[in-house]
Amino acid sequence: MSAPPDRSRPPDPSSVPSAARAAVTLREVADRAGVSMITVSRVLKTPAQVSEATRARVQEAVAALGYVPNLVAGGLRSSRSHLVMALVPTTRGQLFGEMIQSLTDALHGRGFQVMFGEVGYAASREDELLRAIVGRRPDGIVLTGVVHSPEGRRLLLASGIPVVETWDTTPTPIDMLVGLSHERLGEAVCAYLHARGRRRLAVISGDDERATRRQQGFSAAARRLGLEAPALQWVPAPTSHAQGRTGLAALLEAAPRTDAVFCSSDMLALGVLTEARTRGIAVPGDLAVAGFGDIEFAATLAPSLTTVRIDGTRIGQTAAAFIADRAEGRSVARPHVDIGFSIVERESA
């Protein structure tokens, strides 16, 4: 069962320039601060040589414009770095592995090397990495997700570096986008379970931004279907098998009549299946279980896991093509792509 891509939410590609964005320059900082470029350079490199008042003006201009000094020697910038930086929340598990592999392979075929950074689920860590990355001027940056801090967004917009946001969608992308609507995904899973006669629904979810939006879509769909609000159990991201077991135990204590559970990851769903088995709860007879990710073991579990699949290979290949084309001076005709998702029907729901 597949849900068609939602093309109404991202902006019209024709309304967003696909040409490379110009980086904020040292001259712009100097003009805003009302000082010379040499003074700006001194503030950035040898601040003790500059008065406190001048330093304050320059630092205000740097912050307002999102300027990051180029750490690559000026003479080298005429040649591309052939380096792409990609940030993912975690390298644990398999969820992002398919995208990582396809991105690496596709960029290697175009003459680029990829370096990965693990940012966790905290915006502050992403900001630290972004500042370090922007200063080294890679040919492109690939991000997981679209929720960034104001500082991170300002840095990326000011850098002039091609950026691809992935695994999500937004009406205000920084540059290019390859993703899907997590709200619509949650809605689709709720409708799927309802169509199979499930009426007492629940969600066990990690507390990250994308999982939260899946839960919100799921709960909104339940309200529209006239169902009671789904019972919720939150666990810290990244999620684990153990959290699935404890999550189901807590859920059944709070809502013992639950007949279907949507888990924000397949690993959580595996824990739910394990806990259900130890309690003698029949799946799917007494409890339907649906996951998210369609990672390798989902098809070989007993019962096999109903889950939601995201085409990570397509995300990686599309992001690679976007970055390589822009780095090579070509425009991207359709810089915002909604890849949709599919519900993989198996034995658990």
Side-chain angles (χ1 to χ4, degrees):
M1 174 179 178
S2 297
D6 178 10
R7 307 196 188 284
S8 65
R9 299 193 181 187
D12 181 355
S14 64
S15 68
V16 181
S18 60
R21 293 163 290 116
V24 174
T25 65
L26 195 73
R27 181 178 296 280
E28 289 176 274
V29 175
D31 289 345
R32 183 181 179 99
V35 299
S36 69
M37 291 170 56
I38 292 175
T39 299
V40 174
S41 182
R42 285 175 179 162
V43 169
L44 297 173
K45 296 178 181 178
T46 55
Q49 298 181 8
V50 184
S51 71
E52 183 177 348
T54 299
R55 285 202 309 271
R57 292 208 309 276
V58 171
Q59 289 163 353
E60 183 280 329
V62 167
L65 295 173
Y67 176 74
V68 176
N70 189 348
L71 302 182
V72 179
L76 298 178
R77 190 50 193 157
S78 59
S79 299
R80 298 202 317 271
S81 66
H82 295 277
L83 177 68
V84 174
M85 301 296 302
L87 301 185
V88 294
T90 178
T91 55
R92 288 171 52 189
Q94 302 174 30
L95 181 59
F96 300 108
E98 187 179 337
M99 181 198 75
I100 289 171
Q101 188 64 57
S102 64
L103 179 73
T104 302
D105 291 345
L107 283 169
H108 183 266
R110 300 278 294 262
F112 295 85
Q113 298 298 320
V114 184
M115 293 184 66
F116 287 90
E118 184 176 295
V119 298
Y121 291 91
S124 59
R125 187 170 178 187
E126 183 183 70
D127 288 349
E128 292 174 7
L129 273 173
L130 285 176
R131 184 167 290 279
I133 289 168
V134 168
R136 286 162 176 79
R137 295 300 193 269
D139 282 340
I141 299 173
V142 178
L143 303 173
T144 303
V146 298
V147 178
H148 312 293
S149 73
E151 179 185 0
R153 185 175 178 86
R154 186 165 58 247
L155 287 173
L156 292 167
L157 287 168
S159 71
I161 298 170
V163 174
V164 183
E165 294 166 286
T166 63
W167 284 88
D168 213 335
T169 189
T170 176
T172 57
I174 289 170
D175 187 5
M176 298 172 284
L177 178 72
V178 188
L180 65 140
S181 167
H182 290 267
E183 293 90 346
R184 289 186 64 242
L185 188 157
E187 292 167 4
V189 174
C190 182
Y192 173 90
L193 293 172
H194 181 268
R196 279 147 187 77
R198 306 295 170 161
R199 297 295 182 267
R200 297 180 295 279
L201 310 182
V203 178
I204 302 176
S205 177
D207 58 2
D208 61 279
E209 178 67 28
R210 286 177 295 282
T212 298
R213 292 209 296 280
R214 292 195 291 275
Q215 175 271 318
Q216 290 169 343
F218 187 93
S219 296
R223 288 194 299 272
R224 288 194 295 271
L225 290 168
L227 303 178
E228 294 181 6
L232 300 178
Q233 285 294 322
W234 296 101
V235 298
T239 54
S240 68
H241 173 270
Q243 290 172 329
R245 294 198 64 174
T246 58
L248 180 62
L251 181 68
L252 293 176
E253 183 174 345
R257 297 172 62 245
T258 296
D259 65 2
V261 180
F262 175 38
C263 300
S264 69
S265 72
D266 284 352
M267 192 59 72
L268 278 178
L270 174 59
V272 167
L273 291 176
T274 302
E275 185 67 18
R277 183 176 294 113
T278 65
R279 291 169 175 259
I281 298 172
V283 176
D286 298 326
L287 182 70
V289 180
F292 169 80
D294 195 27
I295 59 182
E296 187 177 357
F297 64 70
T300 55
L301 290 172
S304 56
L305 181 63
T306 294
T307 187
V308 181
R309 172 164 175 75
I310 309 301
D311 192 343
T313 295
R314 186 181 172 197
I315 291 176
Q317 290 174 344
T318 305
F322 283 177
I323 292 291
D325 284 347
R326 287 275 297 276
E328 293 165 0
R330 288 186 288 275
S331 63
V332 175
R334 186 179 165 221
H336 307 128
V337 177
D338 186 333
I339 66 166
F341 55 86
S342 59
I343 296 178
V344 183
E345 301 180 46
R346 296 196 180 104
E347 296 168 343
S348 69

